[in-house]
Amino acid sequence: MSPWGWFLLQTLCLLPTGAAPRRGAPASANCELKPQQSELNSFLWTIKRDPPSYFFGTIHVPYTRVWDFIPDNSKEAFQQSSIVYFELDLTDPYTISALTSCQMLPHGENLQDVLPRDIYCRLKRHLEYVKLMMPSWMTPDQRGKGLYADYLFNAIAGNWERKRPVWVMLMVNSLTEVDIKSRGVPVLDLYLAQEAERLRKQTGAVEKVEEQCHPLNGLNFSQVIFALNQTLLQQESLRAGSLQIPYTTEDLIKHYNCGDLSSVIFSHDSSQVPNFINATLPPQERVTAQEIDSYFRQELIYKRNERMGKRVKALLEEFPDKGFFFAFGAGHFMGNNTVLDVLRREGYEVEHAPAGRPINNSGGQKSKIKVSGDE
């Protein structure tokens, strides 16, 4: 699995979502559903102003896996806010087309032209294996929604020979049994965007696709080949049963639901790329892995946090009488140089809102988001 499958967002947006599981369905086998709101983990922060605005930390996994672990006050903050902002505008068709074009090789080149022959052959072999296995990975529920293996494979991997190698690397990371089984249910960010539209809230984005996309295309060729080779080695070892990956989507969900605020795991969900640093690598390769990690940390976390924070400040100043709900990846609120730090440096008071603490409710009514499928 890969938590960084965010960049395959066009697949998630275009796949039929069908009816969502009923509220109250078990959200995760990894963590017992805690009965007390006060025991739940909170990824909600209040920006102190009148009306208040909020930051909410999301993860890029099917919303049904985490929904029951999100405290009521986070859902109320969403409900009460008149404007909801995301990293990207997930409901705008331009987002999808811009993301697609950013992934493509220039001037009609093909992957076969740019990759070393041995890596290209291994990649082709691995994709053939995935296509062969995919029907057995699909769930009865997916088939019941009309989601079939050939369609799903083409939605994710179609046109792979025209993609830049770095995007193929991310694609290979998302073509695992665990990830395939979760397709067809919106990720948490997308679900909130759909809910905001349904509730006729004003929505927007603090970033453009190009700002998330171009840094990935900024890796040099040898770094990209290293990353793709490491990804293929990992998948080949998994197929052979000789490797367990350090953490999976299941781990990410467990950390989110059970309240372990590990900035390491969530920062990789927010930078959307795997971590290649590995003690078993030869020294020279370890240097390359560290360079890639450092580059992505700088480009996809720190620089983005600064930009996102400045744009949040501009929005708060432009609309002083509006309540905002900013839903960004949880990793943008953890570790050093976070979005919260940027706002605090600009003079805003931002405080964590623990689960169980009522939020400032001007209407005096407790309201919850109605989940599709509720009676």
Side-chain angles (χ1 to χ4, degrees):
M1 117 60 201
S2 78
W4 34 86
W6 166 256
F7 280 120
L8 300 160
L9 178 63
Q10 73 273 34
T11 312
L12 291 161
C13 289
L14 298 175
L15 292 182
T17 55
R22 298 175 60 80
R23 174 116 170 89
S28 170
N30 292 315
C31 190
E32 282 187 37
L33 188 54
K34 296 172 182 172
Q36 300 300 316
Q37 278 289 311
S38 59
E39 292 176 32
L40 291 171
N41 177 47
S42 170
F43 287 92
L44 184 72
W45 290 264
T46 305
I47 305 169
K48 305 289 277 294
R49 65 203 283 270
D50 188 20
S53 287
Y54 302 94
F55 284 124
F56 176 68
T58 65
I59 58 172
H60 307 309
V61 302
Y63 82 93
T64 48
R65 299 296 311 282
V66 296
W67 189 254
D68 288 341
F69 294 85
I70 295 172
D72 287 347
N73 63 354
S74 295
K75 295 171 184 176
E76 288 163 20
F78 174 88
Q79 189 79 26
Q80 289 174 28
S81 301
S82 53
I83 308 178
V84 183
Y85 263 68
F86 300 91
E87 294 175 31
L88 294 176
D89 187 345
L90 310 183
T91 55
D92 183 354
Y94 171 77
T95 303
I96 313 309
S97 62
L99 191 53
T100 303
S101 66
C102 182
Q103 295 181 16
M104 292 300 166
L105 284 163
H107 317 306
E109 288 178 8
N110 281 314
L111 210 49
Q112 196 167 2
D113 305 327
V114 297
L115 286 183
R117 179 170 169 73
D118 64 317
I119 289 186
Y120 177 81
C121 291
R122 285 166 56 212
L123 172 63
K124 198 163 186 290
R125 252 197 321 273
H126 181 68
L127 292 177
E128 284 165 358
Y129 162 82
V130 169
K131 190 169 187 178
L132 188 69
M133 294 302 293
M134 212 182 242
S136 68
W137 292 349
M138 303 285 288
T139 66
D141 186 51
Q142 286 173 317
R143 285 192 285 271
K145 290 177 186 172
L147 204 55
Y148 291 98
D150 279 354
Y151 167 68
L152 193 52
F153 182 84
N154 287 328
I156 301 169
N159 214 13
W160 64 270
E161 300 209 37
R162 288 276 300 109
K163 290 181 191 278
R164 294 171 183 265
V166 69
W167 297 97
V168 172
M169 178 268 290
L170 292 169
M171 180 191 80
V172 168
N173 261 309
S174 76
L175 283 168
T176 62
E177 183 173 0
V178 171
D179 275 19
I180 294 304
K181 284 185 188 311
S182 72
R183 295 289 172 146
V185 178
V187 292
L188 181 58
D189 319 67
L190 179 56
Y191 173 69
L192 288 173
Q194 290 169 342
E195 281 298 305
E197 273 209 333
R198 185 177 72 79
L199 295 167
R200 293 185 168 78
K201 293 180 181 293
Q202 187 179 330
T203 60
V206 294
E207 291 188 293
K208 298 179 176 69
V209 168
E210 293 78 8
E211 291 169 334
Q212 281 202 11
C213 185
H214 287 163
L216 271 164
N217 292 343
L219 278 184
N220 69 44
F221 186 70
S222 63
Q223 290 171 326
V224 172
I225 295 303
F226 169 83
L228 180 56
N229 181 51
Q230 289 299 314
T231 300
L232 285 170
L233 285 172
Q234 186 181 76
Q235 295 303 323
E236 288 157 355
S237 300
L238 286 168
R239 280 167 53 188
S242 60
L243 173 74
Q244 280 201 312
I245 45 181
Y247 66 87
T248 64
T249 302
E250 293 301 316
D251 295 323
L252 186 72
I253 290 168
K254 181 179 178 180
H255 282 282
Y256 191 79
N257 287 345
C258 300
D260 175 2
L261 307 189
S262 164
S263 63
V264 175
I265 284 197
F266 290 114
S267 71
H268 275 285
D269 187 46
S270 292
S271 67
Q272 300 132 12
V273 291
N275 181 1
F276 296 111
I277 299 174
N278 184 323
T280 63
L281 289 175
Q284 187 51 50
E285 291 190 359
R286 203 174 313 158
V287 169
T288 304
Q290 284 165 342
E291 285 170 356
I292 293 172
D293 189 72
S294 170
Y295 173 81
F296 281 138
R297 196 169 296 281
Q298 193 62 38
E299 295 293 327
L300 291 175
I301 299 180
Y302 298 149
K303 282 188 183 176
R304 286 179 58 209
N305 284 353
E306 190 70 28
R307 184 168 62 227
M308 290 159 74
K310 292 281 174 61
R311 287 178 186 168
V312 165
K313 173 182 181 275
L315 285 164
L316 294 173
E317 288 174 359
E318 188 179 351
F319 302 100
D321 57 341
K322 298 286 188 186
F324 284 84
F325 186 90
F326 297 100
F328 304 153
H332 292 293
F333 304 114
M334 291 177 195
N336 304 317
N337 307 311
T338 66
V339 170
L340 306 174
D341 294 331
V342 175
L343 262 286
R344 285 168 180 148
R345 279 204 313 269
E346 297 290 344
Y348 284 86
E349 191 181 341
V350 185
E351 70 170 21
H352 184 244
R357 179 193 291 177
I359 60 165
N360 179 19
N361 192 334
S362 51
Q365 291 288 318
K366 275 201 167 188
S367 54
K368 295 182 183 178
I369 307 172
K370 180 178 170 62
V371 182
S372 310
D374 280 0
E375 294 298 331

